[in-house]
Amino acid sequence: MDSQKRLFQSVYVAIFFAQGALIPYMTLYFSQTKFGLTPSQVGIIVAILPILSIGVQPLWGMLTDRTGRVRAWLILAMLSAALISLTFLVATSYIWIVILMVIWSVFQCAHIPLVDMMTLDYTTRSKVDYGAIRLYGSAGFAIAVFAMGRISDSTWGLASTFVLSAVLLILGSVFVRMIPEKSSIRDVTLAPLSWTAVWNKHFVFFLCGGMLVFGPIYANNYYFGLYVTNSGGSTTLVGTLFLVAVLFEIPFMKVASQLMERYGSVNVLVGAAIISAVRNGVLALEPPIWVVWLLAIAQGLVVGLLIPVALQFVRTLVDRQVSSTAIGVYMALTSGLATAGFNMLSGKIIELDDILGVFWMYTIVTAIGALIWIGMSRRTLKG
C-alpha cells in the first residue's frame, strides 16, 4: 500500500510540476514583442485549453466510465501533450499557435480529472486521505513555478517552460505505468448513461456557484504574473509569490477532510470563497508589496481547501456509477467554461481599462458565487 501511495504522490508531483512550469508563464510568453499579439489575442490563446475542456473533459470521464481503463488513457494523454508542447518552440504566427493550442489542449485537459479518478478509487478502497496525496501536486506546482521564475530570467528564457513541462509529463507517465492495473480499473457500466443521475438540482446549484468561484481562481494563474510585472516586479518575484501560495496549499489540503467533517462541506466551500473574494478586492486596491505576500498566503488557503473539498463533495451529489462523468462535467464547467470566459473577459478588460479592473471583476463574481453556495446550503437544510 505504501509503495502505491508513493507512486500516486509521484504522479501528482509530475503532472502539477508540468503545469506549474508552463501555465503561469504562458501569458507572459505569448505577450513577448516577437509574436506581435494583442492582449485580446493572448487572452484567446490562453482560453483555448479551458474552452476545449468544456466538451472534452466530460468525454474523458464517459470514456473511462465505459471502459474502466483510466491508466491507459492517462498515459496516452500525458505523452501526447508532452510531445505536442515541444512544437510551440517553432510556432510564431497567431494561426499556428491557435492550432497547436487546440491539439495540445485535447490531451492536456485530461490529466487532472483522470489522475483524480484513479486516486479517489484508490483512497476509497485503501482508506487513505485524498488530501494527503493531492498535496504533492501542490508541492510540484510550487517548485515548478519558483524554478521557472528564476530560469526565465536567465538566458534560457520563457521558451524553457515548454521543454521542462514536456520532460516532467514523460517522467510522470512512467510512474503511472508502474501503478498496478487493478488500482486504476473501475467498475464498467454498460447500461445507457442516465443524465438525470448527473444533473440533479444540488449538483446544478453547486456548479453555478463553482463556475463563479473557481473561474477567477484559475484565471488568476494566467493573469497574476501580468499583475506583478505591471506593478514593477520581475518574473522571479512572480515565481516566488506563486511558490508561497502553493506551499500554503499543502497544510490546508492536509486538514481539509477534518474541517469538512467538523463544519460540513458547504460551510468550508463558502468560507474559502469569501476569503478569495476579499483577496481579489485587496489586490485591486494596489496594496504595498508586504500585503501582496500575505495575500499569496491567503490564496494558498483558498485553493488548499476548495480543491479537495469540492472534488469529494461532487462524489456525494451523484450515484457512484456516474461519478467519473460528474467529475468530468464539474471540471469542464469550472476549469473549462468558467476559466475560458474569465480569461477572455480579462483580456478585454485590460484593453479597455487595466489589470486592476480584472481583479475588481474577480472580486464581484466570486462574491456572487459564495452567495449561490449559501443559498444551496439553505435549500439543503430545508429539504
Side-chain angles (χ1 to χ4, degrees):
M1 183 182 297
D2 288 341
S3 62
Q4 289 189 37
K5 182 178 178 180
R6 285 193 294 270
L7 284 174
F8 278 106
Q9 291 168 338
S10 299
V11 172
Y12 271 96
V13 170
I15 288 177
F16 280 88
F17 192 108
Q19 286 208 353
L22 184 56
I23 288 182
Y25 299 99
M26 192 171 283
T27 302
L28 293 175
Y29 177 77
F30 290 118
S31 295
Q32 295 178 101
T33 55
K34 68 178 182 179
F35 294 107
L37 303 175
T38 67
S40 290
Q41 288 176 321
V42 175
I44 290 172
I45 290 171
V46 299
I48 290 174
L49 173 60
I51 285 174
L52 285 183
S53 298
I54 300 166
V56 175
Q57 280 185 330
L59 292 178
W60 284 110
M62 286 187 286
L63 189 63
T64 56
D65 275 334
R66 299 289 290 179
T67 66
R69 304 300 296 273
V70 186
R71 187 183 73 164
W73 295 118
L74 179 56
I75 292 173
L76 173 65
M78 293 174 70
L79 291 177
S80 299
L83 296 177
I84 296 169
S85 67
L86 296 175
T87 61
F88 283 102
L89 299 176
V90 296
T92 55
S93 71
Y94 176 63
I95 296 299
W96 276 112
I97 292 172
V98 169
I99 292 172
L100 288 174
M101 281 294 295
V102 169
I103 301 171
W104 174 78
S105 297
V106 169
F107 297 101
Q108 179 70 24
C109 71
H111 300 167
I112 295 178
L114 293 188
V115 72
D116 278 342
M117 292 170 199
M118 290 179 61
T119 307
L120 287 170
D121 281 349
Y122 164 73
T123 55
T124 300
R125 291 194 311 271
S126 305
K127 307 301 180 183
V128 176
D129 181 19
Y130 165 80
I133 295 178
R134 174 59 177 78
L135 63 84
Y136 278 78
S138 296
F141 192 94
I143 296 170
V145 175
F146 178 73
M148 284 311 309
R150 304 186 71 85
I151 293 172
S152 61
D153 274 339
S154 69
T155 55
W156 290 89
L158 287 166
S160 58
T161 59
F162 293 96
V163 177
L164 195 58
S165 178
V167 170
L168 265 294
L169 285 178
I170 293 172
L171 180 61
S173 68
V174 175
F175 293 136
V176 176
R177 183 67 181 83
M178 294 170 64
I179 297 175
E181 185 73 13
K182 64 180 180 180
S183 296
S184 60
I185 293 181
R186 301 171 50 85
D187 295 334
V188 180
T189 303
L190 297 179
L193 178 65
S194 174
W195 283 105
T196 57
V198 178
W199 293 104
N200 63 74
K201 63 180 181 179
H202 297 300
F203 187 43
V204 171
F205 256 92
F206 167 76
L207 289 176
C208 290
M211 291 171 65
L212 297 179
V213 173
F214 282 102
I217 289 174
Y218 291 132
N220 173 84
N221 290 339
Y222 292 92
Y223 285 95
F224 183 68
L226 202 58
Y227 173 91
V228 173
T229 54
N230 280 9
S231 301
S234 64
T235 53
T236 298
L237 178 59
V238 173
T240 306
L241 288 170
F242 267 110
L243 173 67
V244 171
V246 181
L247 284 179
F248 274 89
E249 290 179 20
I250 296 173
F252 288 103
M253 282 190 177
K254 186 70 174 177
V255 301
S257 294
Q258 293 94 306
L259 291 175
M260 185 171 58
E261 292 176 1
R262 181 171 181 178
Y263 299 106
S265 300
V266 179
N267 288 332
V268 175
L269 292 173
V270 169
I274 292 173
I275 294 172
S276 183
V278 172
R279 177 255 184 192
N280 290 324
V282 176
L283 281 176
L285 295 173
E286 293 187 278
I289 188 63
W290 67 268
V291 176
V292 176
W293 284 95
L294 293 178
L295 295 177
I297 296 174
Q299 181 73 356
L301 179 153
V302 168
V303 176
L305 293 179
L306 281 179
I307 289 181
V309 173
L311 187 62
Q312 294 179 76
F313 184 56
V314 167
R315 286 170 62 90
T316 68
L317 297 175
V318 299
D319 295 333
R320 184 180 183 277
Q321 290 77 9
V322 294
S323 61
S324 291
T325 302
I327 291 172
V329 170
Y330 149 68
M331 290 190 172
L333 294 183
T334 55
S335 64
L337 176 61
T339 307
F342 287 114
N343 277 350
M344 291 189 289
L345 182 57
S346 298
K348 285 293 183 182
I349 291 176
I350 291 173
E351 285 189 347
L352 297 174
D353 186 16
D354 57 26
I355 191 66
L356 297 180
V358 170
F359 282 88
W360 279 123
M361 180 265 291
Y362 291 167
T363 301
I364 295 170
V365 298
T366 303
I368 295 173
L371 289 174
I372 292 175
W373 278 347
I374 291 173
M376 175 184 68
S377 177
R378 291 181 177 177
R379 284 176 63 94
T380 301
L381 290 175
K382 289 181 180 180

